[in-house]
């Protein structure tokens, strides 16, 4: 693919990279940051990003996604919809899992770290499996073994 550069406001942009960023699929998400106060933002469909950049943007596989349960830590990739701020990845501890009528899981959880717009402890959702860019599987194994010491995960 030919790379084309464009000069705009004394900055160089690679047109293909800009097109990739602007056309990335995403879905709406909201965070309850205070009583009655919400922040709305987008979260990226990281499966689509991975398909375009499989060597540099690695994501959990379907088997890992099948393990998502309440208590698990997952990382999402937020687009704050603000031209003054960068996109941000952050951890969410899943608290609720539901399923749509056609079988897709819908997740909700609590922010596990402060972000530019969403403080630690904020309730966040909806999150889809295709929005998860990382998972803390060590935390999952530790949590799973504590709740059921006789079981092990291979």
């Amino acid at each position: 693919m030919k790379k084309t550069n464009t000069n705009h406001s004394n900055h160089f942009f690679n047109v293909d990279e800009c097109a990739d960023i602007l056309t990335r699929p995403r879905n709406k998400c909201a965070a309850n940051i205070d009583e009655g106060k919400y922040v709305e933002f987008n979260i990226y469909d990281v499966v689509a990003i991975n398909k375009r950049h499989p060597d540099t943007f690695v994501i959990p596989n379907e088997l890992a996604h099948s393990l998502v349960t309440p208590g698990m830590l997952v990382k999402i990739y937020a687009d704050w919809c603000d031209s003054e701020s960068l996109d941000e990845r952050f951890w969410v501890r899943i608290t609720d899992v539901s399923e749509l009528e056609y079988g897709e899981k819908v997740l909700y959880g609590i922010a596990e770290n402060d972000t530019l717009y969403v403080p630690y402890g904020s309730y966040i959702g909806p999150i889809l499996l295709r929005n998860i860019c990382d998972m803390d599987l060590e935390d999952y194994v530790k949590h799973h073994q504590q709740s059921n010491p006789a079981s092990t995960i291979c």
Side-chain angles (χ1 to χ4, degrees):
M1 180 181 289
K2 182 181 173 191
K3 300 284 185 183
T4 307
N5 290 321
T6 303
N7 188 340
H8 178 73
S9 303
N10 297 325
H11 292 85
F12 284 96
F13 293 95
N14 177 293
V15 173
D16 295 327
E17 289 174 8
C18 287
D20 177 48
I21 292 168
L22 294 172
T23 60
R24 286 179 182 164
R26 54 198 101 194
N27 55 281
K28 287 288 185 191
C29 190
N32 183 348
I33 61 172
D34 201 359
E35 192 173 319
K37 186 175 179 186
Y38 293 86
V39 171
E40 194 174 292
F41 56 98
N42 291 321
I43 48 180
Y44 286 110
D45 178 339
V46 297
V47 173
I49 298 171
N50 170 260
K51 284 181 182 173
R52 187 161 165 111
H53 306 283
D55 296 330
T56 57
F57 197 90
V58 180
I59 60 172
N61 61 29
E62 288 182 28
L63 175 60
H65 279 164
S66 71
L67 299 173
V68 175
T69 55
M72 179 169 252
L73 278 172
V74 301
K75 189 179 279 186
I76 61 174
Y77 187 10
D79 167 11
W80 297 123
C81 307
D82 176 0
S83 62
E84 300 297 316
S85 61
L86 297 173
D87 299 342
E88 190 170 5
R89 299 176 203 185
F90 63 97
W91 291 101
V92 175
R93 185 165 305 274
I94 299 302
T95 57
D96 303 289
V97 178
S98 60
E99 200 170 290
L100 298 174
E101 61 186 46
Y102 54 89
E104 185 171 20
K105 283 186 179 180
V106 179
L107 315 167
Y108 296 86
I110 304 292
E112 283 289 310
N113 51 283
D114 285 324
T115 70
L116 187 61
Y117 291 101
V118 176
Y120 172 85
S122 298
Y123 189 70
I124 297 173
I127 301 166
L128 305 174
L129 293 177
R130 65 178 171 260
N131 302 129
I132 297 173
C133 61
D134 199 2
M135 300 168 66
D136 189 342
L137 293 174
E138 288 180 26
D139 182 68
Y140 172 82
V141 170
K142 186 175 109 179
H143 181 265
H144 184 75
Q145 288 175 340
Q146 286 175 350
S147 64
N148 190 359
S151 67
T152 58
I153 297 176
C154 299

